[in-house]
Structures are given as structure tokens and as C-alpha cells.
Amino acid sequence: MMHQVKITNVRSESHTDILPDEQPGSLGVCGWILFIVSLLLTVATLPVTIFMCVKIVQEYERAVMFRLGRIVDKKPKGPGLFFVLPCTDTFVKVDMRTVSFEIPPQEILTKDSVTASVDGVVYFRVNCPVSSVVSVSNADFATRFLAQTTLRNVLGTKNLAELLSDREGISQSMQESLDEATELWGIKVERVEIKDVKLPQQLQRAMAAEAEATREARAKVIAAEGEMNASRALKEASLVIAESPSALQLRYLQTLNTIAAENNSTIVFPIPIDILQPFLHK
């Protein structure tokens, strides 16, 4: 019995796949009868129904028309004037302008197990009005919810250093993921931007202490290199002064001139020991 049931299901599925699809916009016999009756009633009451038949869509809008629940044409109507039958035709207006929305702050866990709160901005527009009406019940809300999920999924594969330094790469990755997912909905994601990354206070203090220690270590290295260069310069200067004893006296006079220019009341004048040697022997 089990084998027979399986064979029957396969046959039924194969039969379903073989059935030809109905052409989009085909109304059938009853549909055409209703369409003709509606057209005759509209023509009979023309002075009144003309205002119900003529519709206008703006330059930034498109109209997706349905006739007896079926799409009339794969190409949307507009911009400008178009005609509808009051009894059989309905239409949905779609805004083609770029829409922006903020992604609420999302608590995410990075690849290196760091908790952060990240928010962003998404810019998108309707690329195919027919798909945005037929394929999804509300393309705007669906894109918003998908953006939140995509933000958490993408950031979950990044560590903290990449999250803080590679925002452009993260934004590009999010845009590609969103654009691929919303293509069937007739949505084109134009831009995604990461606004702010908030870290816990303890982590911020730890990172600040680490950065301060790094700067202090770099400053000490720079000061040590400066002292080494200064000592080399002093060594070379001492060698030059040793070759000419009169150069030391000139250096004394230059130092006295520098001290006198600063309006000091006390001047310390160094006297070489060689001058005092004759007096010490006496």
C-alpha cells in the first residue's frame, strides 16, 4: 500500500507540472462577459462616469492596474493620465522616489565575543512597481525588517577591530546582501551607512588606558632617541672646541650675551681652572 501511495503522489505531481500556466491577464469567458457589461454600462452613463474612468498619477508615481483581480499589463501605468473601468478595474499607486530610514540600535555580538550597539541608515527605492505590489504584502516594512536582520548577521562575522576601522567594507557588504534579497520584491538598495557604534563603558575605559599606555611608550622612545642624538652632537662639539682653546672663550662670551638679554640680576661667570693655577702655587 505504501508503494502504491508513493506512485500515485508522483503521478499527480508530474501531472501538475505538465499543466500549462495561464497567461497573465487572461480573464476567461466569465471575465470577458463582465468586462463587456462594465464597458457598456460605462458608455451608457458616459457624462457621469468619465470622472470615474480618468485617473492621474504624478511624475514620481506609477500605477499597477488589476482587472478582475489580474494584472492587466506587466508594465505599470503612468506618469500622466490613464483610464480604468469603474466596475472591473482597480489600481495601486507606487512611489518611485528614494526612501531612507534609520535602523534601530541593534545589540550584536562580534566574532571576538564583544557586545556592541550599532545603528545605521538605508536608502532604497522601488525598481519594479509590479513586483513590489505582487511579490510582497508591504515592501517598505519587509525591507526595514530585513535590514535589521542583515545588520546583525553581517556584524556577527566581524571582530571589534574590523567593526571600528572598516565601516565602508561593512556597509558595502550589507548593501550587496540587501540588494540581492530584495531584488525579487522589486526593491533597489542604493546605499547603506553605519551611523554609530556604542561600546560598553568598561570596554571604553580599557581601550582608553591601552591607547594612553601606547602613547606614553612611544613618547619615551622618542625622548630617548632625542637624547641620543643630542649627546652625539655634544660629542662632536667638544671635539671641535678641544682643537681650538680660544673657541671655548668665545662660547663663554656668547653665553653671557644670551643671559644678559633676558634681564637677569645675577650672572654666573665660569672661570677656567687654568687661569687660577698660578695663584694657587703662590
Side-chain angles (χ1 to χ4, degrees):
M1 292 295 292
M2 293 296 294
H3 293 290
Q4 293 177 358
V5 171
K6 289 182 179 179
I7 293 173
T8 304
N9 291 335
V10 171
R11 289 178 178 177
S12 61
E13 290 175 359
S14 303
H15 181 69
T16 305
D17 294 336
I18 295 174
L19 288 176
D21 295 331
E22 295 184 359
Q23 297 294 329
S26 60
L27 302 178
V29 178
C30 296
W32 280 109
I33 293 175
L34 292 175
F35 173 73
I36 294 173
V37 171
S38 176
L39 182 61
L40 293 176
L41 291 175
T42 303
V43 173
T45 58
L46 241 180
V48 179
T49 56
I50 188 65
F51 300 101
M52 303 173 60
C53 295
V54 178
K55 302 296 179 181
I56 301 175
V57 291
Q58 304 296 331
E59 181 69 28
Y60 55 84
E61 293 177 335
R62 298 295 184 271
V64 180
M65 184 179 295
F66 295 89
R67 178 164 294 160
L68 297 176
R70 295 178 177 270
I71 296 178
V72 176
D73 192 0
K74 291 184 178 181
K75 185 178 180 181
K77 305 295 182 181
L81 294 172
F82 67 98
F83 296 91
V84 298
L85 290 177
C87 300
T88 59
D89 294 349
T90 58
F91 66 95
V92 179
K93 286 185 179 181
V94 180
D95 197 332
M96 302 292 291
R97 293 176 292 184
T98 299
V99 180
S100 63
F101 66 90
E102 294 186 1
I103 303 176
Q106 303 293 314
E107 293 289 338
I108 58 99
L109 186 66
T110 61
K111 189 177 181 180
D112 50 354
S113 301
V114 176
T115 304
S117 177
V118 184
D119 57 356
V121 182
V122 177
Y123 299 87
F124 73 95
R125 61 180 175 84
V126 177
N127 190 31
C128 179
V130 177
S131 299
S132 66
V133 174
V134 177
S135 300
V136 62
S137 61
N138 194 320
D140 188 9
F141 286 158
T143 305
R144 293 173 186 266
F145 293 146
L146 183 61
Q148 299 178 19
T149 306
T150 305
L151 178 63
R152 289 193 295 267
N153 293 338
V154 171
L155 295 182
T157 60
K158 306 291 182 180
N159 53 36
L160 182 60
E162 294 175 343
L163 178 59
L164 296 177
S165 61
D166 191 20
R167 293 193 180 187
E168 293 184 0
I170 295 174
S171 300
Q172 183 68 24
S173 177
M174 281 191 59
Q175 179 181 352
E176 293 175 357
S177 299
L178 282 174
D179 199 15
E180 182 180 358
T182 58
E183 184 179 1
L184 297 177
W185 301 344
I187 300 296
K188 173 64 177 176
V189 179
E190 296 180 341
R191 191 178 182 87
V192 178
E193 292 291 340
I194 302 297
K195 285 182 60 179
D196 191 15
V197 178
K198 296 181 180 179
L199 302 176
Q201 294 294 331
Q202 295 180 353
L203 182 59
Q204 292 182 15
R205 287 194 292 267
M207 293 176 65
E210 181 183 0
E212 184 178 359
T214 304
R215 287 193 297 268
E216 290 180 356
R218 190 181 298 114
K220 291 180 180 179
V221 171
I222 294 174
E225 291 178 354
E227 291 179 358
M228 183 175 62
N229 295 332
S231 64
R232 289 176 180 174
L234 290 173
K235 179 182 177 181
E236 295 176 358
S238 65
L239 294 176
V240 174
I241 292 175
E243 294 176 357
S244 177
S246 60
L248 183 60
Q249 300 297 328
L250 294 175
R251 181 60 179 165
Y252 288 158
L253 294 175
Q254 184 180 3
T255 304
L256 287 174
N257 187 22
T258 304
I259 295 173
E262 296 178 358
N263 297 324
N264 292 326
S265 59
T266 303
I267 297 176
V268 179
F269 182 73
I271 300 175
I273 301 298
D274 298 337
I275 299 176
L276 299 178
Q277 287 294 336
F279 299 98
L280 294 177
H281 287 296
K282 292 180 180 181

